[in-house]
Amino acid sequence: MSLAEIKGRIDKAATSAGRSANDICLIAVSKVQPNARVESVLNEGHRSFGENRVQEAASKWPDFRKSYDSIDLHIIGPLQSNKVRQAMSLAQSIHTLDRPKMAQAVARIAQEDGHCPDLFVQVNIGEEPQKAGILPTEADAFIVQARALDLPIKGLMCIPPVDEEPALHFALLGKIAARNGLNGLSMGMSSDFETAIALGATHIRVGSAIFGDRVPG
Ligand SMILES: *Cc1c(COP(=O)(O)O)cnc(C)c1O
């Protein structure tokens, strides 16, 4: 599907939710996509992109930045502790703040560097054992803790269980954000971004619907 078609769908979903499409950031998830596909989206003027691996982001985006201005890079995948510093220097936003130890590491590096990307707390919204993220019942306390470290928490992020109705999970994420005074909601992917927009998403992470199927390797 073309970028223009996706934007059309975003406009439509925003309008029917009584929202402005300008309040929704489309993150084009470019992981594992050939550079030519990414460049064609850059050439259409799009600037917000998402990567889930730091190594891959580091191999692509510093080069793209030489040719394209104002790239807005989002790290959306789990971060090992030894990758936090690199992620913070590469990206404008990190969507996967998912544990107290990482919050402490980010705070320490931010102090040293005098700079911190925007942060989203990943919530394990379906309480799935194999998934990263703060449990919904622990989110309020974690947000308090992160704020005490002066971290710039912009919002919450979730990946709902694949085999469940995403709307209930999106609604819960919105509730947790609202009661903590957070505006940012990073939720919704290729298959469910319209539902996410209806439930308040401010950042949608769309990969295959824009770029086509991911080509492995
Ligand atoms: C890959 C990925 C996406 C995009 O998935 P699509 O289904 O291709 O849109 C969104 N969020 C995260 C965290 C991802 O890893």
Side-chain angles (χ1 to χ4, degrees):
M1 200 170 284
S2 72
L3 185 65
E5 282 173 285
I6 298 289
K7 286 185 176 168
R9 285 172 59 186
I10 292 170
D11 278 343
K12 228 171 146 187
T15 303
S16 42
R19 305 181 57 200
S20 164
N22 294 331
D23 296 333
I24 298 154
C25 172
L26 169 61
I27 300 171
V29 179
S30 48
K31 66 183 181 200
V32 205
Q33 295 292 350
N35 283 354
R37 285 190 190 167
V38 180
E39 268 168 5
S40 85
V41 172
L42 279 162
N43 288 334
E44 287 183 77
H46 195 74
R47 288 295 180 267
S48 294
F49 291 85
E51 292 284 348
N52 72 332
R53 295 168 136 262
V54 174
Q55 201 136 330
E56 187 180 346
S59 76
K60 284 187 206 169
W61 289 98
D63 283 340
F64 283 140
R65 283 190 203 275
K66 290 178 194 155
S67 315
Y68 300 91
D69 284 337
S70 313
I71 286 169
D72 174 37
L73 186 63
H74 299 254
I75 295 289
I76 62 170
L79 273 178
Q80 293 171 290
S81 298
N82 63 354
K83 291 288 193 320
V84 169
R85 184 183 296 275
Q86 197 181 8
M88 288 174 69
S89 72
L90 279 168
Q92 280 59 56
S93 303
I94 294 176
H95 290 238
T96 46
L97 181 63
D98 63 3
R99 57 195 190 276
K101 250 198 156 144
M102 180 176 163
Q104 285 154 15
V106 172
R108 182 165 22 82
I109 296 164
Q111 283 253 319
E112 288 168 20
D113 295 0
H115 144 92
C116 192
D118 289 344
L119 300 171
F120 291 77
V121 174
Q122 182 172 359
V123 177
N124 186 353
I125 203 75
E127 305 188 31
E128 298 172 277
Q130 80 282 11
K131 244 181 212 164
I134 304 290
L135 291 172
T137 50
E138 292 168 5
D140 296 5
F142 182 77
I143 292 161
V144 169
Q145 208 183 338
R147 283 174 167 156
L149 292 167
D150 272 338
L151 295 181
I153 307 293
K154 294 293 165 186
L156 306 180
M157 176 273 210
C158 77
I159 308 169
V162 281
D163 50 357
E164 289 178 24
E165 172 54 51
L168 300 172
H169 296 290
F170 293 154
L172 177 58
L173 196 74
K175 249 188 209 165
I176 299 170
R179 73 176 181 235
N180 285 285
L182 290 168
N183 299 320
L185 283 174
S186 169
M187 57 189 198
M189 321 202 323
S190 291
S191 58
D192 55 18
F193 68 84
E194 282 134 323
T195 305
I197 288 169
L199 291 162
T202 58
H203 294 70
I204 58 173
R205 309 178 309 266
V206 181
S208 43
I210 295 175
F211 294 104
D213 289 338
R214 283 182 278 277
V215 185

